[in-house]
Amino acid sequence: MANKKILVTGGTGFIGSHTVVELQQNGYDVIIVDNLSNSSIDVLDYIAKISGIMPAFEQFDLADGKLTAGFFNRNNNIDGIIHFAAFKAVGESMAKPLDYYRNNLQSLINLLEGMKTHAISNMVFSSSCTVYGQPDELPVTEKAPIKPAWSPYGNTKQMCEEILRFVTHSHPVHAIALRYFNPIGAHDSALIGELPLGVPNNLVPFITQTAIGKRECLSVFGNDYNTSDGTAVRDYIHVVDIAKAHVIAVERMLGGRSKSELEIFNLGTGTGYSVLDVINSFERVSGEKLNYKIVPRRPGDVEMVWADTRFANDELGWKAEKSLDEMMSSAWKWEKALVTRPV
Ligand code: UFG
């Protein structure tokens, strides 16, 4: 029997590239669509180096309805879609809200149109713990109320989940939305990882870039939170653990095991770590001393959030396996590998 074929949008990005590798290693054929707005074409070669298989690739913008319809007309053998392609920078979304709404909503709508026209019945959607804001209760479960968004980025994730709720109800389409907590780390091979353009917004790339000498000093945003050491707490999760959950979600839908049209799962480890915990872990595994200073809080940051993972553990049979130290050592290995290769 022919392999199942999965369209991975945003497949050259951070989580997308790791998921493509896991899919290939589990016997799926992959076709990537990416506009390369925040990733590099070279990622395809690195994926092929790991898996031994070059994924099919098309470069275009999924927010363009005509191009997306044309893609589905040319590729009428797709069994399922994993939709990563989206803008994802919280701060940028505050400055350019319309870009975020146009890009993130329009590409989902165009994909759903294609699914309807070509009877493709399964989508895994990249959602985020940002939909919870600062939850009233921790750990946060999937049933926690969705509060007003803190950013246009977060709002697009909430709106996309709502679009999926109604569309999966009216059309023969199933979706699984995976709410990621804080994905970090890189593939063990150090051939793929996070490639932030310019100055990183996120903690871990900033740590590794500071340690390697690309940045002078890490600013720790606030040490006056109501947490054990005063710095903010997040649920950091290894990107390969996240990638593996996508393969399980695809298998669940293709195997007809979904229990409702739209299922939603938290993807976290269930453990919260403070910014200082992350720095300590980095120093421990790398043997490097990190240059950092405490500065005021970053506007828009929540104090603490970590996942209740029981629903994903029980229903998907998935559990995050990698420790914080493993996450940090893989991120460091990746940063060091970048020194010796053209990016
Ligand atoms: N932090 C610093 N210094 C930095 C960068 C981050 O102290 O230079 C701190 C932040 O204040 C926060 C923690 O490190 O307490 C994690 O920050 P990140 O920017 O790495 O991650 P966030 O939790 O802010 O954001 C992530 C994703 C978003 C998602 C959000 C949901 O990047 O896409 O989680 O909470 F929306």
Side-chain angles (χ1 to χ4, degrees), residues 239-255:
V239 63
V240 172
D241 279 329
I242 295 247
K244 286 181 175 163
H246 288 75
V247 178
I248 292 172
V250 163
E251 274 165 2
R252 180 178 177 89
M253 284 192 288
L254 292 180

Side-chain angles (χ1 to χ4, degrees), residues 88-90 128-131 151 153-154 180-184 200-206 218-222 225 231-234 236 275 298 301-303 305:
K88 61 169 188 177
V90 176
S128 165
C129 71
T130 195
V131 300
S151 70
Y153 161 73
Y180 315 145
F181 282 65
N182 285 54
I184 61 168
N201 293 308
N202 297 115
L203 177 63
V204 172
F206 210 108
L218 169 77
S219 294
V220 174
F221 297 134
Y225 286 106
T231 62
V233 169
R234 298 286 184 275
Y236 297 92
V275 176
R298 180 169 68 178
D301 274 348
V302 300
E303 184 165 75
V305 63

Side-chain angles (χ1 to χ4, degrees), residues 112-230:
L112 289 168
E113 288 283 4
M115 291 173 77
K116 199 177 113 195
T117 309
H118 295 272
I120 301 166
S121 51
N122 304 297
M123 174 185 275
V124 181
F125 176 72
S126 288
S127 191
S128 165
C129 71
T130 195
V131 300
Y132 298 120
Q134 177 62 66
D136 296 328
E137 283 173 35
L138 290 169
V140 62
T141 76
E142 292 83 352
K143 294 197 166 66
I146 301 300
K147 297 187 187 168
W150 289 39
S151 70
Y153 161 73
N155 195 206
T156 66
K157 292 297 176 190
Q158 296 176 336
M159 292 170 83
C160 285
E161 286 193 5
E162 287 292 276
I163 291 170
L164 286 171
R165 189 158 67 84
F166 287 110
V167 172
T168 55
H169 195 65
S170 328
H171 295 297
V173 170
H174 279 83
I176 294 182
L178 299 175
R179 291 179 178 160
Y180 315 145
F181 282 65
N182 285 54
I184 61 168
H187 198 265
D188 267 352
S189 62
L191 290 168
I192 53 173
E194 196 168 2
L195 272 176
L197 286 182
V199 183
N201 293 308
N202 297 115
L203 177 63
V204 172
F206 210 108
I207 289 177
T208 56
Q209 289 196 7
T210 305
I212 207 95
K214 283 188 197 161
R215 314 272 156 216
E216 216 165 280
C217 180
L218 169 77
S219 294
V220 174
F221 297 134
N223 68 349
D224 55 353
Y225 286 106
N226 189 21
T227 60
S228 59
D229 61 26

